[in-house]
Amino acid sequence: MTGDEIIALSKKHTISEWAVQGTVDPIPVERAEGIYFWTPEGKRYIDFNSQLMCVNIGHGDPRVVKAIQEQAARLCYVTPGGMTTEPRARLGAKLATLTPGDIDTFFFTNGGAEAIENAFKIARAVTGRQKIMARHRSYHGATAAAMAATGEPRAWSQPPMPGFIHVLDWYHGVDRPLDTAEQSLRYLEEVIQLEGPSTIAAFILESVTGTNGILIPPDGYMQGVRALCDRHGILMIADEVMSGFGRTGEWFAIDHWKVVPDIMTMAKGITSAYVPLGAVGIRRKIADYFKDKPFPGGLTYSSHALACAAALATIGVYEEDRLIERARNTGTLMADLLTEVAARHPSVGAVRSIGLFGVIELIRNRKTREPMAPFNGTSPEMGALGRFFRQEGLFTLVRWNYFFTNPPLTITEAELREAFAIIDRGLAITDKAVG
Ligand SMILES: Cc1ncc(COP(=O)(O)O)c(C=O)c1O
C-alpha cells in the first residue's frame, strides 16, 4: 500500500489515540532500523522519542526478533493461572536481580496501565486502606483507576473516582520558581496529616515524571517520600513505566536516589515495545502477604510466553551492549548539547535531562517567562515547529510549550548531533516570537 492509502484506510476504520479524529495526520511507517524509521515512499525519520519513549534498544534488533520467532514456533501461550513456562520463570528471576532492594516477585500484565491497576489492588489488599495519593502533572495510564490517579488534562474527561488524592510537587511551570525538596515534603506531610494517614494505602509517583515534562526530583525528595511513607505505613509505588530500563542512565530512575519502593510498575522498555508487556514488582514482605491470601488480579494474557521471551532477549541486549552505561555517557553529551541550545536560543526557557530523557521548554518572553503555548494548549509557533521537525525528518513529541529529546539508548554521537542540528534550525522559528 502507498502511504496515502494506509492513512486513508486507517482514518476511515480506526480510532486515533486521544485525538480529535477529524484533525489527525499520522505518519505511515513501513519499516524501522536502529534510530530510524521509513515511510512506504522511503522518507526517513530520526526517531528522537523512541516512539512513545519505549523503543529503548532501537528498532529491529535481530537478537530480539530471533527470540520472538523461536518462542512463537515453540509455544505462544498457556493459561497463566494454572500453567507456567520457562520464559516466565526466567524473566521473574532475571528481574529480581535488576530491580532495587528486595523487590523479587512480579505480576505480568499487557502494559503500563494494567500494571498500575494491579499495583493499586495490591496496595489496598495489603494495607486494608483505600485512598491512593498521586501527583498533579503525572500520567499513569488510560484504564479507570490509572486515569483516576493521573494528574493531567487527559484525565479531565473521565468521571472522578472516590479515593484518589492529588498533591503538587516542586515544579510549578516554567514561569514560576521551583520549590525545594524540604518545602515539597513539608506540604506532602501536611496533606497526609489532613487526609488521615490511616486512610492512605499508597503514594504513587513517577520516579522521573515523563510526559508532563521530564521533572527530575531534587536530591532528598525521594528519600523524604520514602521516610514519610515508612512513618505513616503508606506503600510507595514507583511508576517506572517510562523512566525504567536505562532511559535515565540507571536500570530504574529510582536507583539515582538509592530508594527502594514497595511496589514498582514497569512496561515499555521491558521489551522495548517489540511485544506488549507490563509488570508489577513487589518487595518480599508484600509477596509474603499473598502466601496465605488470594492475589486480587488476573488477566488472560498475564505472563504471555512470547512477551516474556521478548523481555528476556531485550534485557540481554541492554546487558550485552552495556546500554545503561551508554545512556549515562551519551546522556552527558546530550546535556551539553541542551545547554548549548539554551545559550543560543532566546526562546529556550529551560532544558532538563537525565540520561537520554530530555525536554526543551520554550518561552515567548525572557522577563515574564510566559510559555510559548499555554498549559494544555498550543500556539502558531509550536505548531510551526512541529511541522518543521516533521518536514526535516525528525520525529519527537511536541506538547504544549515543550518537546522531548528521548532517542533510543543506542544513538551514536554523530546521530545525536544530526538531530540537534535540526533542532537548532527549528528554534529559529520560535526565537522570532520572543518579545
Ligand atoms: C509513567 C507512565 N505510567 C503508565 C503509563 C501507561 O502505560 P500504557 O500506555 O502501557 O498502559 C505510561 C504511558 O505512557 C506512563 O508514561
Side-chain angles (χ1 to χ4, degrees):
M1 286 169 88
T2 66
D4 284 345
E5 285 168 345
I6 295 171
I7 292 171
L9 215 52
S10 299
K11 286 178 71 165
K12 187 162 179 209
H13 294 292
T14 72
I15 291 286
S16 200
E17 288 69 12
W18 300 112
V20 175
Q21 299 301 302
T23 65
V24 294
D25 185 19
I27 303 172
V29 183
E30 191 193 38
R31 69 192 173 87
E33 195 182 325
I35 68 150
Y36 299 107
F37 63 88
W38 287 264
T39 68
E41 283 69 36
K43 181 174 164 90
R44 191 194 77 170
Y45 287 85
I46 299 173
D47 186 351
F48 214 51
N49 199 54
S50 308
Q51 295 301 318
L52 265 180
M53 298 89 157
C54 51
V55 187
N56 293 5
I57 62 163
H59 296 273
D61 191 297
R63 291 162 288 185
V64 181
V65 173
K66 183 162 172 270
I68 294 168
Q69 286 168 336
E70 285 178 0
Q71 187 58 46
R74 195 177 310 121
L75 173 74
C76 285
Y77 173 78
V78 296
T79 308
M83 301 179 197
T84 189
T85 63
E86 183 171 330
R88 169 184 174 157
R90 284 191 187 281
L91 181 59
K94 183 68 201 176
L95 286 173
T97 67
L98 302 177
T99 45
D102 59 348
I103 294 178
D104 69 353
T105 306
F106 302 88
F107 177 68
F108 294 115
T109 66
N110 300 296
E114 283 178 355
I116 302 288
E117 298 283 330
N118 283 283
F120 294 162
K121 285 185 181 182
I122 292 167
R124 285 171 167 156
V126 170
T127 61
R129 303 172 179 182
Q130 291 305 318
K131 283 185 196 160
I132 302 291
M133 205 161 92
R135 294 189 303 190
H136 291 288
R137 300 184 198 275
S138 66
Y139 182 73
H140 297 294
T143 53
M147 259 295 72
T150 288
E152 60 119 301
R154 276 179 284 183
W156 292 355
S157 65
Q158 300 302 307
M161 199 184 274
F164 286 83
I165 314 158
H166 283 96
V167 293
L168 293 165
D169 56 27
W170 61 92
Y171 171 91
H172 303 287
V174 71
D175 49 345
R176 297 187 204 132
L178 302 169
D179 291 341
T180 62
E182 291 71 28
Q183 285 167 328
S184 209
L185 290 165
R186 238 190 338 268
Y187 157 78
L188 206 55
E189 179 143 42
E190 191 174 339
V191 175
I192 291 171
Q193 185 187 43
L194 295 173
E195 286 287 342
S198 63
T199 69
I200 304 171
F203 182 26
I204 181 164
L205 63 176
E206 291 172 72
S207 306
V208 168
T209 300
T211 333
N212 284 279
I214 315 296
L215 306 177
I216 305 156
D219 278 338
Y221 177 82
M222 280 296 173
Q223 295 90 331
V225 167
R226 179 67 274 178
L228 273 178
C229 287
D230 284 342
R231 196 171 318 139
H232 297 294
I234 296 168
L235 297 180
M236 179 177 180
I237 305 175
D239 184 352
E240 292 271 354
V241 167
M242 192 176 275
S243 58
F245 294 95
R247 174 55 56 198
T248 68
E250 292 282 352
W251 274 101
F252 299 98
I254 195 80
D255 295 337
H256 287 280
W257 298 282
K258 308 211 171 350
V259 162
V260 181
D262 299 297
I263 302 177
M264 206 164 95
T265 51
M266 296 158 261
K268 296 190 188 263
I270 192 170
T271 56
S272 274
Y274 281 48
V275 177
L277 183 71
V280 191
I282 52 180
R283 293 180 79 165
R284 182 97 301 272
K285 63 178 178 191
I286 297 178
D288 285 345
Y289 175 87
F290 294 110
K291 284 236 162 84
D292 55 1
K293 290 171 210 73
F295 183 83
L299 301 158
T300 296
Y301 301 132
S302 284
S303 310
H304 199 284
L306 214 51
C308 291
L312 279 168
T314 304
I315 291 169
V317 172
Y318 288 121
E319 290 184 328
E320 207 174 306
D321 296 355
R322 305 170 73 94
L323 289 184
I324 314 302
E325 194 181 320
R326 187 159 161 178
R328 199 157 45 232
N329 295 337
T330 319
T332 308
L333 171 64
M334 191 171 87
D336 289 345
L337 292 171
L338 286 167
T339 308
E340 280 173 28
V341 155
R344 223 174 11 251
H345 294 280
S347 60
V348 174
V351 293
R352 292 181 290 277
S353 71
I354 179 165
L356 288 171
F357 210 19
V359 74
I360 298 181
E361 278 210 73
L362 302 179
I363 54 174
R364 60 171 69 252
N365 188 305
R366 301 290 313 171
K367 269 208 195 82
T368 63
R369 297 180 59 77
E370 180 189 347
M372 188 63 73
F375 179 78
N376 196 30
T378 185
S379 65
E381 295 85 0
M382 293 306 292
L385 184 63
R387 283 191 298 279
F388 176 84
F389 287 158
R390 182 159 172 174
Q391 173 199 309
E392 296 298 305
L394 182 87
F395 168 72
T396 190
L397 287 192
V398 179
R399 191 180 196 242
W400 309 347
N401 72 314
Y402 54 86
F403 65 91
F404 293 98
T405 62
N406 300 325
L409 313 185
T410 52
I411 195 165
T412 63
E413 178 174 342
E415 290 166 341
L416 197 61
R417 289 188 186 279
E418 182 188 351
F420 268 85
I422 298 172
I423 290 172
D424 198 40
R425 284 188 283 122
L427 290 172
I429 297 170
T430 46
D431 285 350
K432 281 203 207 98
V434 179

